[in-house]
Amino acid sequence: MKFKIIACINNNNVLGRDNDLLYTIKNDLANFKRITNGGVVIMGKKTWESLPKKPLPNRHNIVITRDVTYCAEGAIVVHSIKEAVTLCADSFSHLPCYVIGGGMLYQSFLESDLVDVMYITKVDDSQDGDTYFPMIDETWRLFYQSAEQHDDITNMSYNFSIYQKKIC
C-alpha cells in the first residue's frame, strides 16, 4: 500500500515553529481540505494536539505516538508506522491515505519508501522554524505546478505542486 504526503513548506523546507504551522494561508487550507476530504489522515501526536478542531471532519484520523497510554478522542491511536500501515491496509485500503505531519513522520514514511505522491504548497519565503520537511531529491518528478498564487492577508506568494515517485 502506498501513501500520499501533503505539506506546506517554504524555500528552506521549513514546516513549522513552536508546534504550529509556519503559514496560515486560506487557499492552502482549502486545498488541504479538498484533497484529504473523505480519506484517511495520519499524523503524529504533536500535529494532532496542534489542530484547532479535532478530529478533522469527513476523514478517518490516525494518530501515531509511542505513548501507549495516549488517548485522542475521535481518532484511532497507533504506536508505530508499521501499525498504521497495517491498519490502513486492513481497514482503509479503499481510501486514499495522507500523511499530514509532522516532520519526523514525513521523514519516516519517505525513508520506508511508502509514499508515491506528494502534494506540496511552496511558500516563497525564508523564515526560520524548528520543524523541517525532508529534501525532495531526484527520486521524485514534478508532475504539476500551479501558477504563482498570492495571499492578500499574509502578503505571501506560493504555488501548489504535485510530485510523483519516479518508477525505475
Side-chain angles (χ1 to χ4, degrees):
M1 178 166 196
K2 291 292 185 175
F3 296 80
K4 295 159 187 3
I5 277 179
I6 188 164
C8 179
I9 63 175
N10 72 11
N11 296 332
N12 297 328
N13 283 17
V14 177
L15 287 161
R17 180 176 44 237
D18 300 327
N19 202 32
D20 201 3
L21 296 174
L22 202 56
Y23 308 101
T24 304
I25 298 171
K26 186 177 179 180
N27 197 23
D28 175 53
L29 296 174
N31 189 55
F32 173 89
K33 182 178 180 180
R34 180 185 57 78
I35 290 171
T36 63
N37 195 40
V40 178
V41 289
I42 303 164
M43 67 201 89
K45 175 180 160 183
K46 288 182 183 178
T47 299
W48 169 261
E49 291 175 349
S50 74
L51 294 176
K53 182 177 181 179
K54 302 179 216 15
L56 292 176
N58 301 319
R59 286 155 276 205
H60 299 278
N61 290 239
I62 298 174
V63 178
I64 300 177
T65 177
R66 290 185 202 107
D67 182 350
V68 295
T69 64
Y70 191 74
C71 293
E73 189 175 336
I76 301 168
V77 177
V78 297
H79 306 292
S80 68
I81 288 175
K82 182 178 180 182
E83 194 176 341
V85 169
T86 300
L87 174 64
C88 289
D90 291 348
S91 302
F92 303 116
S93 62
H94 61 291
L95 297 174
C97 297
Y98 301 93
V99 179
I100 66 167
M104 289 181 9
L105 207 54
Y106 289 132
Q107 183 75 38
S108 295
F109 269 81
L110 287 167
E111 285 177 353
S112 299
D113 197 29
L114 292 167
V115 179
D116 63 352
V117 175
M118 296 190 294
Y119 298 90
I120 305 295
T121 301
K122 182 88 173 265
V123 180
D124 187 18
D125 186 54
S126 298
Q127 287 186 57
D128 287 330
D130 55 20
T131 307
Y132 291 83
F133 191 81
M135 294 299 295
I136 299 172
D137 63 24
E138 68 280 348
T139 63
W140 294 92
R141 78 175 179 93
L142 181 61
F143 175 75
Y144 168 82
Q145 186 171 48
S146 73
E148 185 174 286
Q149 313 282 315
H150 187 78
D151 184 68
D152 292 332
I153 296 169
T154 63
N155 201 31
M156 297 280 176
S157 295
Y158 60 95
N159 63 41
F160 298 116
S161 299
I162 301 173
Y163 291 87
Q164 289 183 326
K165 186 77 170 182
K166 289 181 182 175
I167 300 172
C168 299

